């Protein structure tokens, strides 16, 4: 009985490995069209759901949007932590508050993108992804033009924008 359980376990692991490689191939094919293929590939394959859920291009796009959303949530938490500093200058605080609102908007827009993707409404996905990109570009503009330029937040903005553009690129390939 132990041998049967061991063989069964080995078969399951092998099937998961083969399925994972097939998914990785599909993900690689999509990501090679990205401006940053390495980021595209790593952001999708590092998501826990990519191994079991990424069977179709639509599912891969949902994972790509989820990766952007997770990034936005983490950045929102980073900004919140910065805002908890009581020694902030008013101009820096204003900039960070604007960026915080922009990131909250972006998370909502990405959630709307996922809902649209589940409804197979690619045109709506495009609209919501572009709205999320616009929100974070506004944060970047605020960082560049006003007090409070934060190098880490600027870098986080760049990564977020790339993640959204990757999802947008995948969406365009599906339409």
């Amino acid at each position: 009985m132990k041998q049967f359980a061991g063989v069964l376990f080995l078969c399951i692991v092998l099937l998961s490995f083969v399925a994972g490689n097939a998914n990785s191939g599909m993900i690689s094919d999509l990501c090679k069209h990205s401006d940053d293929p390495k980021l595209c590939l790593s952001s999708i394959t590092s998501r826990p759901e990519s191994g079991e859920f990424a069977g179709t291009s639509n599912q891969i796009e949902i994972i790509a949007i989820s990766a952007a959303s997770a990034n936005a949530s983490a950045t929102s938490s980073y900004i919140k932590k910065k805002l908890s500093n009581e020694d902030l200058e008013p101009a820096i605080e204003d900039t960070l508050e604007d960026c915080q609102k922009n990131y909250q908007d972006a998370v909502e827009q990405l959630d709307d993108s996922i809902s649209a993707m589940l409804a197979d409404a690619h045109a709506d996905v495009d609209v919501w992804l572009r709205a999320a990109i616009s929100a974070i570009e506004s944060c970047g503009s605020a960082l560049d033009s006003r007090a409070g330029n934060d190098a880490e937040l600027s870098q986080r903005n760049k990564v977020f924008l790339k993640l959204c553009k990757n999802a947008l690129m995948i969406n365009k390939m599906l339409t």
Side-chain angles (χ1 to χ4, degrees):
M1 187 68 171
K2 279 186 176 180
Q3 288 178 330
F4 176 74
V7 170
L8 181 62
F9 175 75
L10 184 60
C11 288
I12 291 171
V13 169
L14 239 130
L15 285 172
S16 297
F17 179 75
V18 169
N21 282 346
N23 295 342
S24 293
M26 188 183 314
I27 295 167
S28 293
D29 287 345
L30 289 168
C31 285
K32 71 182 175 186
H33 301 284
S34 169
D35 290 339
D36 190 339
K38 280 186 176 182
L39 177 65
C40 179
L41 187 62
S42 69
S43 68
I44 295 170
T45 59
S46 67
R47 301 286 300 164
E49 64 272 25
S50 70
E52 62 191 53
F53 181 68
T56 68
S57 298
N58 281 359
Q59 292 167 336
I60 292 169
E61 182 174 1
I62 290 170
I63 295 168
I65 296 168
S66 295
S69 184
N71 177 280
S73 294
T75 301
S76 183
S77 294
Y78 168 80
I79 295 169
K80 187 175 183 178
K81 183 178 176 186
K82 295 280 286 190
L83 284 167
S84 69
N85 181 353
E86 294 179 13
D87 298 334
L88 285 177
E89 295 175 26
I92 294 171
E93 186 175 1
D94 286 346
T95 301
L96 290 174
E97 285 174 350
D98 285 350
C99 285
Q100 177 70 7
K101 182 173 178 356
N102 288 328
Y103 269 96
Q104 289 170 340
D105 290 346
V107 169
E108 289 176 20
Q109 292 152 346
L110 292 171
D111 289 345
D112 290 337
S113 293
I114 291 173
S115 295
M117 192 65 228
L118 292 171
D120 209 24
H122 294 279
D124 292 344
V125 173
D126 190 80
V127 168
W128 290 118
L129 284 171
R130 289 183 187 283
I133 289 169
S134 179
I136 302 314
E137 287 175 340
S138 294
C139 172
S141 295
L143 286 170
D144 291 342
S145 65
R146 300 190 309 206
N149 194 353
D150 179 298
E152 183 172 346
L153 183 53
S154 292
Q155 182 58 35
R156 287 173 175 262
N157 284 352
K158 289 177 187 171
V159 171
F160 175 79
L161 290 171
K162 286 181 181 182
L163 291 172
C164 284
K165 289 177 181 178
N166 287 341
L168 193 60
M169 174 270 307
I170 292 170
N171 187 57
K172 285 184 186 294
M173 293 181 70
L174 299 177
T175 55

